[in-house]
Amino acid sequence: MPLLRLDEDPGQLVLHVRGAVCTSTREVVESEPFERLVVLYVAHLHAHDEPLLDALGIDVAGAAGASGAAAAAADTALVDLLRLLAHNPLERVARASRRYEPLLDRRPALHRFVEGLYDFWRRFDRFLVDHAVDGPDGRSGSAYRAFNASLSALAALVRDLYRDVVENVTGTHPLVYRQVHAGVELGVIVAPRAWPAPPVYGALLDAVPFVTRALMYPPLILDPPTNTRSGRFTEVSENPIVEMRLDPGRWLCFPAVVGRFVVFVYIEQRFLGLGLSLANLFELAGDEQVAAGPDAVLLFGAPPEALARFGERPTVFFDDASHDLLVGAVPLDDGFGYFGYLKKMVLTLHNVAAMRRGLMPYHGAFTRIVLPDGTAAGVLLIGDTATGKSETLEALRLAAGDRVAELRVVADDMGSLEVTECEGRPGIVGYGSEIGAFVRLDDLQQGYAIGQIDRAIIMSPQKVNARVVLPVTTLDEVQVGHAVDVLLYANNYEPVDDAHPIIERFADAGRALAVFREGRALSKGTTSSTGLVESYFANIFGPAQRPAQHDPIAERTFAAAFAGGVFVGQLRTRLALPGYAGEGPREAAAALLELVARDNEIARDNEREART
């Protein structure tokens, strides 16, 4: 095995290799990682279940509390025993060495040890990093196919090794075989890549390799250190990377295509599971995009001491105008070990980059509803977290039947709006930012993207606010730019009555701007906010930090929407009201479908009139 090293971090193992991994169970059992795994397991047993070692009854387990040379000898003896059992029945091992004879009477204890070792290995989040040789061969399709085959083979070899050892210990064959994920759960190929980095960035980041391909075995289940996000991302006046020091051997760069921008996301290995989950949320940038350089860089897992000057919870970003580059940083601390910090900081950088280009960023869900006759409507629901945006669109999909031919997701969470003109008529077009979604596991009970669950990364399923990251659209849909025909604010807190219809149309841009700017929502507890809250345009990820820049862009955008005949209003989803978690989005979806069908019929009538 061309092993470079095996790194252990809390809850995860990271195997660094170069090239093919293993081709036989003999290579697996003889490898240094296998030996280290046994040592880790024995240490775990000494800390938690020492009677199992005692039950083996011979000196291979070592004395309780053994240390130094004695402990090392005991570990080596156990490794040697397992290597023998990989290819020989216990009876043969006992005949070959008298020290193993007592194990013939202690098969249950030895079996428990082997089962425990296998479970111990699988309890870790397991990642593999293949440091490819740079050059044409390292980037060829055959190299990537070999990588995929190597990881698949490793999973099979680990299972085969486990089964061989168990059968050699027990002398029996299992009646049920379970094809569990026994190898690594996610592997990446990394390679050095050059980009036009200004000196202050190059000195810090040039030695960090870039992810060029990823292979995962979903559904993945991860349990990050925390499962909620609090606070806001703060814009600071100093570049956070100045005087920062990194160990490049513990960092990878995931070059993410975020809408029409590119963000280089640098990930410290302790947060590798969260960082590589980006593969379900953003496309990897290609070599040409990397060579052109990013619109922003983010350090996820930056040294806390380097950010201490920014306060107690320093999730910060900086506009490096001199180099036309945005910079974000999140500290290496378990308090920030949540995918929401990573995703939302990336999107904050996207939103600031959009405003710098005169685009209005939005926090919402944008879908193209295609009717059976081929006409389509672009529906954008803007609102805070847990206001019913995705739930309403999913309810629409489930209830539409043959009234809707297709629902095409453009954006699940964030995107941008651009003022356009078509045939002399003003309007707005919308873009997305992500190809995936980061949604509450509870939403899947409503059917949300359930067809994609076998492609999902599931985070903290046993906790409140359990989440999944799963793909929901394509980069083409995200980047092409679709006309916005219906623009609604997702209101999750107001009941529906005669004075408050499910869908309320605003009479003018002033009224619309007042509601969208106020950004009211009833919190459902997915962040640290509770109760009825307000946030500027329901978007604390860039616009709230720069209202003076955002306001004129929003005013121009809404003016164009009204001038172009866009239906602008609010949709009362009632998602946060007791008893309406399901009924509210369903009724909102029904009203939305009626609106789209009616407006398309009116548009067709107008078109027929114009022709005659």
Side-chain angles (χ1 to χ4, degrees):
M1 175 183 288
L3 174 71
L4 301 180
R5 69 180 194 273
L6 177 68
D7 292 341
E8 179 201 1
D9 290 293
Q12 73 177 25
L13 294 174
V14 183
L15 186 63
H16 291 263
V17 304
R18 177 167 286 132
V21 183
C22 289
T23 59
S24 68
T25 57
R26 184 176 296 277
E27 285 187 48
V28 175
V29 79
E30 295 291 339
S31 68
E32 182 183 334
F34 178 81
E35 181 173 343
R36 181 154 182 212
L37 180 69
V38 174
V39 171
L40 289 171
Y41 180 52
V42 171
H44 171 80
L45 290 178
H46 277 305
H48 298 93
D49 190 16
E50 197 165 289
L52 176 57
L53 293 176
D54 296 335
L56 292 176
I58 56 173
D59 62 354
V60 295
S67 59
D75 293 338
T76 301
L78 268 174
V79 171
D80 290 343
L81 171 62
L82 293 172
R83 285 170 173 165
L84 290 170
L85 289 171
H87 308 289
N88 302 278
L90 180 57
E91 289 81 3
R92 184 182 302 164
V93 172
R95 287 198 302 269
S97 175
R98 296 189 52 154
R99 70 185 301 191
Y100 297 130
E101 284 184 357
L103 291 173
L104 292 171
D105 297 325
R106 296 179 173 86
R107 290 180 193 265
L110 185 56
H111 186 198
R112 280 179 55 209
F113 179 86
V114 174
E115 293 285 355
L117 175 62
Y118 187 53
D119 290 342
F120 179 73
W121 156 255
R122 293 189 303 109
R123 277 203 299 269
F124 283 98
D125 296 329
R126 307 175 304 278
F127 308 105
L128 183 141
V129 179
D130 184 355
H131 296 259
V133 178
D134 200 23
D137 293 338
R139 295 195 297 268
S140 69
S142 60
Y144 295 130
R145 286 190 291 274
F147 172 73
N148 294 352
S150 181
L151 293 196
S152 297
L154 177 62
L157 290 173
V158 172
R159 281 195 303 266
D160 289 346
L161 175 60
Y162 155 72
R163 291 167 180 167
D164 289 346
V165 174
V166 168
E167 290 179 14
N168 284 331
V169 169
T170 63
T172 63
H173 301 282
L175 299 178
V176 177
Y177 290 88
R178 298 174 178 87
Q179 298 296 96
V180 299
H181 297 316
V184 297
E185 297 165 295
L186 200 158
V188 292
I189 298 178
V190 300
R193 291 289 181 264
W195 60 280
V200 66
Y201 298 92
L204 184 70
L205 302 172
D206 274 353
V208 178
F210 281 70
V211 175
T212 63
R213 286 295 187 279
L215 174 66
M216 68 178 72
Y217 293 91
L220 270 66
I221 298 178
L222 304 177
D223 189 18
T226 186
N227 66 322
T228 57
R229 177 182 49 79
S230 64
R232 294 190 178 191
F233 302 123
T234 305
E235 184 168 10
V236 294
S237 58
E238 298 177 58
N239 194 330
I241 75 166
V242 172
E243 299 183 1
M244 191 178 288
R245 297 290 182 269
L246 304 179
D247 175 3
R250 288 190 56 85
W251 287 78
L252 302 178
C253 179
F254 187 101
V257 180
V258 186
R260 293 186 291 171
F261 304 99
V262 174
V263 179
F264 287 179
V265 183
Y266 290 87
I267 307 157
E268 211 281 342
Q269 187 170 277
R270 184 163 139 198
F271 286 161
L272 193 60
L274 295 171
L276 294 183
S277 295
L278 289 173
N280 259 9
L281 198 65
F282 302 113
E283 286 282 6
L284 275 168
D287 285 351
E288 291 184 3
Q289 291 169 299
V290 170
D295 298 282
V297 298
L298 167 61
L299 279 71
F300 187 62
E305 62 275 10
L307 302 180
R309 66 187 187 275
F310 299 117
E312 291 185 5
R313 298 187 64 80
T315 51
V316 299
F317 67 95
F318 171 73
D319 188 347
D320 187 353
S322 62
H323 295 115
D324 193 26
L325 197 61
L326 297 167
V327 185
V330 176
L332 183 65
D333 183 283
D334 281 352
F336 302 101
Y338 172 56
F339 191 72
Y341 284 105
L342 176 56
K343 171 189 170 175
K344 293 300 192 183
M345 179 59 91
V346 171
L347 293 176
T348 297
L349 297 173
H350 163 275
N351 292 346
V352 174
M355 288 189 290
R356 290 172 65 179
R357 295 193 185 181
L359 307 177
M360 176 185 156
Y362 65 79
H363 183 190
F366 185 22
T367 298
R368 292 288 289 171
I369 301 176
V370 183
L371 300 179
D373 64 0
T375 60
V379 177
L380 173 56
L381 305 182
I382 288 179
D384 208 342
T385 300
T387 52
K389 305 182 296 293
S390 296
E391 292 86 348
T392 297
L393 293 175
E394 176 60 15
L396 191 153
R397 183 188 69 80
L398 293 175
D402 57 6
R403 298 181 66 187
V404 170
E406 187 180 9
L407 282 178
R408 290 155 53 184
V409 175
V410 180
D412 178 79
D413 187 31
M414 294 274 184
S416 60
L417 297 175
E418 182 177 17
V419 175
T420 62
E421 188 172 295
C422 181
E423 298 178 353
R425 183 182 179 186
I428 55 175
V429 297
Y431 304 88
S433 60
E434 309 141 277
I435 62 166
F438 178 53
V439 297
R440 295 183 308 279
L441 189 59
D442 285 350
D443 290 342
L444 297 181
Q445 296 172 4
Q446 306 293 332
Y448 181 74
I450 194 68
Q452 301 290 340
I453 191 64
D454 60 346
R455 304 169 72 186
I457 299 172
I458 304 171
M459 298 184 179
S460 304
Q462 79 283 15
K463 298 177 183 176
V464 174
N465 197 36
R467 292 270 177 158
V468 296
V469 189
L470 71 172
V472 295
T473 190
T474 66
L475 191 60
D476 287 342
E477 292 288 355
V478 165
Q479 292 185 330
V480 70
H482 296 279
V484 177
D485 301 296
V486 178
L487 174 58
L488 300 172
Y489 184 80
N491 177 330
N492 74 339
Y493 61 92
E494 283 187 338
V496 170
D497 54 35
D498 291 342
H500 301 87
I502 293 177
I503 297 180
E504 175 187 355
R505 188 168 193 171
F506 295 138
D508 53 56
R511 167 64 175 153
L513 281 166
V515 171
F516 281 81
R517 185 180 286 115
E518 190 175 49
R520 281 191 175 182
L522 189 58
S523 175
K524 288 190 68 178
T526 60
T527 68
S528 59
S529 300
T530 57
L532 189 63
V533 297
E534 295 181 1
S535 59
Y536 177 79
F537 280 87
N539 197 344
I540 63 172
F541 309 104
Q545 291 87 342
R546 294 185 163 199
Q549 182 181 22
H550 183 272
D551 254 348
I553 299 173
E555 290 168 3
R556 185 170 66 251
T557 302
F558 276 78
F562 275 87
V566 176
F567 187 107
V568 182
Q570 64 179 326
L571 177 72
R572 292 182 171 91
T573 69
R574 295 173 287 175
L575 184 73
L577 299 184
Y580 285 93
E583 182 181 348
R586 283 195 296 271
E587 293 186 1
L592 184 58
L593 181 57
E594 291 299 324
L595 170 66
V596 170
R598 184 182 72 244
D599 278 11
N600 272 273
E601 183 62 34
I602 292 172
R604 286 193 295 272
D605 288 344
N606 291 339
E607 187 177 334
R608 282 193 292 268
E609 276 187 32
R611 285 200 301 267
T612 58

